[in-house]
């Protein structure tokens, strides 16, 4: 069920913050609660939660947008993507890039965008001649990725450019794929919610809380193979039976890594 969400701002928002708050409220079709220093009911964020009965409060600020869910707080961060891009720049191997055979100019469709760490790494390698599109079924996560990818400012130029090139689409992967012609993207990728708990991290916490938990079906993987020019890649926990269930036998990934990439070549 979609959580009850309201949007508000940091105290004394400038016009840019107010504009972004309006964008969030329109995108999520939810109320925008003005923050008022003099009004007790909107001054403290916990009073906003009490008066609106919201499960999620989105607080748009000058530097970042925070998502408050109960006691927990989240914001967009390129997290692991930053480290993986740095490692690639040092000439190290990235398992997703190897599994997908992603290169400069590649086109990459990420069917399970989440907070876009994998898509950022793919976009960095594909470069400005490539194309990366990310699909996310959950409106809150799609909006967080959309805003974060295009407004995050703390990183080197190549990382920020890679983030800015990603096109975010709020949609179910299943319906998007069926509308695409054959061989539209070089690589089609899935990183569904793990059936078994993955390592704890702030990025995983928010995905566990707000992400779409539907497991990957054989039907959507077949559709993805039609849309892919070269291959479909699926990320899963090492040792999970998902690859077997989906008929994927080529597995890429370090022997000691908790995750593995299953590859279906055309
Ligand atoms: C494990 S997360 C992906 C994490 C991502 N690879 C990253 O690097 O941040 C899976 C995401 O896919 C989304 N998702 C799951 N099923 C989907 C579907 N059928 N269509 C679109 N998005 C989906 C979930 O809501 C969640 O945000």
């Amino acid at each position: 069920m979609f959580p009850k969400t309201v949007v508000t701002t940091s105290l004394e928002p400038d016009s840019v913050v107010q504009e972004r708050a309006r964008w969030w409220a329109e995108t999520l079709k939810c109320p925008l609660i003005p923050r008022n220093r003099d009004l007790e009911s909107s001054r403290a964020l916990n009073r906003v939660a009490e008066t609106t009965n919201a499960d999620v409060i989105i607080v748009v600020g000058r530097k970042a947008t925070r998502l408050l869910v109960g006691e927990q707080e989240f914001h967009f961060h390129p997290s692991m993507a930053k480290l993986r891009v740095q490692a690639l720049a040092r000439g190290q191997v990235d398992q997703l890039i190897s599994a997908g055979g992603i290169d400069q100019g590649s086109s990459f469709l990420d069917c399970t965008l989440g907070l876009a760490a994998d898509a950022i790494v793919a976009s960095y390698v594909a470069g400005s001649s490539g194309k990366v599109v990310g699909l996310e079924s959950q409106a809150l996560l799609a909006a967080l990725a959309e805003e974060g990818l295009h407004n995050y400012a703390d990183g080197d130029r190549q990382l920020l450019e890679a983030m800015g090139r990603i096109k975010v689409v709020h949609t179910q992967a299943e319906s998007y794929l069926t509308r695409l012609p054959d061989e539209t993207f070089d690589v089609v990728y899935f990183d569904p919610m793990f059936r078994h708990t993955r390592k704890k991290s702030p990025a995983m916490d928010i995905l566990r809380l707000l992400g779409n938990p539907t497991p990957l079906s054989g039907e959507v993987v077949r559709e993805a193979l039609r849309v892919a020019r070269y291959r479909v890649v699926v990320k899963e926990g090492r040792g999970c039976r998902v690859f077997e269930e989906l008929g994927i036998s080529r597995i890429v990934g370090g022997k000691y890594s908790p995750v593995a990439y299953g590859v279906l070549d055309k």
Side-chain angles (χ1 to χ4, degrees), residues 96-110:
L96 167 64
I97 301 304
S98 305
I102 301 161
D103 216 337
Q104 207 173 9
S106 291
S107 54
F108 180 84
L109 178 65
D110 184 344

Side-chain angles (χ1 to χ4, degrees), residues 194-196 236-245:
F194 278 19
R195 291 181 211 181
H196 305 289
E236 257 301 343
R238 179 166 287 284
C240 283
R241 293 178 56 84
V242 175
F243 294 140
E244 217 176 291
E245 287 164 17

Side-chain angles (χ1 to χ4, degrees), residues 111-118 136-138 141 171 173-174 191 211-212:
C111 292
T112 50
L113 184 69
L115 293 189
D118 289 326
E136 173 54 55
S137 61
Q138 308 307 95
L141 294 173
T171 182
E174 292 78 350
D191 173 15
N212 175 353

Side-chain angles (χ1 to χ4, degrees), residues 79 81 84 96 110-120 135-138 141-142 169-175 189-194 198 203-204 206-208 210-216 220 235:
S79 60
R84 285 167 65 188
L96 167 64
D110 184 344
C111 292
T112 50
L113 184 69
L115 293 189
D118 289 326
I120 295 170
L135 315 179
E136 173 54 55
S137 61
Q138 308 307 95
L141 294 173
V169 185
H170 168 218
T171 182
Q172 289 279 350
E174 292 78 350
S175 54
Y189 176 61
F190 295 94
D191 173 15
M193 304 297 293
F194 278 19
R198 225 191 286 192
M204 277 317 296
I206 184 173
L207 295 175
R208 251 192 298 271
L210 302 173
N212 175 353
T214 314
L216 203 55
V220 74
K235 182 176 181 178

Side-chain angles (χ1 to χ4, degrees), residues 102-256:
I102 301 161
D103 216 337
Q104 207 173 9
S106 291
S107 54
F108 180 84
L109 178 65
D110 184 344
C111 292
T112 50
L113 184 69
L115 293 189
D118 289 326
I120 295 170
V121 178
S123 173
Y124 170 77
V125 173
S128 55
S129 56
K131 176 166 101 172
V132 176
V133 175
L135 315 179
E136 173 54 55
S137 61
Q138 308 307 95
L140 254 169
L141 294 173
L144 195 62
E146 168 75 30
E147 189 196 53
L149 286 169
H150 297 103
N151 288 292
Y152 188 81
D154 180 19
D156 71 31
R157 190 177 52 82
Q158 280 182 308
L159 177 79
L160 299 181
E161 284 176 0
M163 290 165 68
R165 283 194 296 269
I166 299 169
K167 181 178 174 210
V168 178
V169 185
H170 168 218
T171 182
Q172 289 279 350
E174 292 78 350
S175 54
Y176 191 86
L177 283 167
T178 54
R179 281 183 265 120
L180 289 179
D182 295 356
E183 306 196 346
T184 309
F185 285 86
D186 293 335
V187 183
V188 180
Y189 176 61
F190 295 94
D191 173 15
M193 304 297 293
F194 278 19
R195 291 181 211 181
H196 305 289
T197 342
R198 225 191 286 192
K199 222 171 77 186
K200 267 192 89 59
S201 72
M204 277 317 296
D205 285 347
I206 184 173
L207 295 175
R208 251 192 298 271
L209 213 63
L210 302 173
N212 175 353
T214 314
L216 203 55
S217 69
E219 202 182 330
V220 74
V221 173
R222 276 191 295 281
E223 199 56 20
L225 203 55
R226 178 187 68 73
V227 168
R229 199 166 297 130
Y230 300 122
R231 61 194 59 86
V232 172
V233 177
V234 178
K235 182 176 181 178
E236 257 301 343
R238 179 166 287 284
C240 283
R241 293 178 56 84
V242 175
F243 294 140
E244 217 176 291
E245 287 164 17
L246 295 172
I248 299 174
S249 54
R250 185 155 86 81
I251 315 290
V252 176
K255 219 168 159 183
Y256 303 107

